[in-house]
């Protein structure tokens, strides 16, 4: 999805608790176009217009996890923040979300989550992937004990993936910086060294 910079970011809140979804919407509607859905079926109608999705994991019928897989399969250009009462475990490593927050969450925490996801819309795929995997790693480090994580080969793979992406991103940024400086010199008429 390509957004015009003058358009407001559209946030889709998917939560089976209507009062909670309405509260979240009220906290965000001054800065964002907010849509609410209280089940996965209703949420599907808004997927193509959303920029950021706040998704509850456990809902009656089709779960948020299943909708997350559908979003990934469709290749939608959207940032997904899991906003749930479910504490994360190592299984989140395989889930294609961009950020993970647990309820309860306050107004400032919610706004911070959405602002972070909104900023990532402007990033390239490589940087988006780095943020997503780094967030998963940080979430697990905050919630699980070191012994459990040290026994997980998936966590070790995730850590290695974070480092590899960080190195590639650093290389890309250095290359970008060099290209930018050369272009700036050309644009300002400075001589090359």
């Amino acid at each position: 999805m390509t957004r015009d910079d003058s358009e407001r970011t559209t946030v889709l809140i998917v939560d089976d608790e209507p009062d909670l979804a309405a509260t979240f919407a009220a906290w965000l509607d001054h800065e964002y176009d907010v849509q609410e859905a209280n089940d996965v079926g209703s949420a599907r109608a808004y997927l193509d217009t959303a920029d950021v999705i706040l998704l509850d994991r456990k809902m009656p019928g089709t779960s948020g996890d299943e909708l997350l897989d559908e979003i990934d399969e469709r290749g939608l250009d959207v940032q997904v923040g899991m906003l749930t009462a479910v504490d994360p475990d190592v299984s989140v490593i395989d889930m294609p979300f961009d950020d993970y927050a647990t309820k309860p969450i306050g107004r400032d925490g919610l706004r911070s989550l959405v602002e972070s996801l909104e900023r990532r819309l402007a990033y390239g795929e490589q940087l988006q992937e780095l943020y997503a995997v780094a967030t998963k790693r940080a979430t697990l480090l905050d919630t699980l004990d070191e012994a459990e994580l040290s026994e997980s080969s998936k966590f070790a793979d995730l850590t290695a993936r974070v480092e590899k992406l960080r190195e590639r991103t650093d290389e890309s940024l250095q290359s970008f910086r060099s290209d930018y400086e050369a272009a700036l010199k050309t644009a300002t008429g400075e001589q090359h060294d």
Side-chain angles (χ1 to χ4, degrees):
M1 173 186 314
T2 304
R3 290 185 318 116
D4 182 315
D5 288 337
S6 65
E7 292 180 21
R8 287 177 16 142
T9 298
T10 300
V11 177
L12 171 59
I13 300 167
V14 185
D15 197 300
D16 63 323
E17 296 179 46
D19 291 341
L20 186 58
T23 298
F24 290 163
W27 288 349
L28 298 172
D29 70 1
H30 295 293
E31 299 163 46
Y32 304 99
D33 289 329
V34 181
Q35 301 163 328
E36 297 173 54
N38 300 123
D39 59 64
V40 169
S42 300
R44 286 186 178 113
Y46 300 111
L47 292 180
D48 291 322
T49 60
D51 299 305
V52 171
I53 299 174
L54 300 178
L55 182 58
D56 189 10
R57 286 186 71 181
K58 301 294 182 189
M59 293 184 283
T62 306
S63 72
D65 291 359
E66 291 173 89
L67 181 60
L68 181 64
D69 288 338
E70 183 178 325
I71 291 166
D72 186 51
E73 288 168 10
R74 288 182 54 190
L76 297 176
D77 185 15
V78 63
Q79 291 289 298
V80 179
M82 301 304 287
L83 183 54
T84 179
V86 178
D87 287 328
D89 59 23
V90 177
S91 70
V92 302
I93 292 172
D94 296 324
M95 296 173 67
F97 60 81
D98 300 292
D99 210 332
Y100 198 100
T102 53
K103 299 179 207 170
I105 190 169
R107 179 189 310 247
D108 291 341
L110 183 71
R111 283 185 173 164
S112 178
L113 174 63
V114 172
E115 287 168 4
S116 174
L117 291 167
E118 180 183 34
R119 278 192 306 273
R120 296 179 203 182
L121 289 168
Y123 299 162
E125 242 178 70
Q126 181 176 310
L127 197 51
Q128 286 180 10
E129 184 181 2
L130 173 59
Y131 268 100
V133 297
T135 297
K136 288 176 187 178
R137 185 175 185 281
T139 299
L140 292 172
L141 285 169
D142 285 345
T143 57
L144 299 177
D145 63 52
E146 262 185 66
E148 186 176 357
L149 291 175
S150 67
E151 294 174 6
S152 170
S153 62
K154 282 189 171 191
F155 185 76
D157 292 344
L158 179 69
T159 299
R161 191 166 154 210
V162 167
E163 289 308 312
K164 181 177 268 185
L165 284 167
R166 187 174 287 143
E167 288 171 11
R168 282 194 348 214
T169 301
D170 287 346
E171 290 170 7
S172 295
L173 288 173
Q174 288 173 358
S175 176
F176 171 78
R177 185 177 295 123
S178 296
D179 292 346
Y180 172 75
E181 288 171 355
L184 188 60
K185 284 182 182 181
T186 301
T188 58
E190 292 181 33
Q191 295 294 327
H192 293 279
D193 297 335

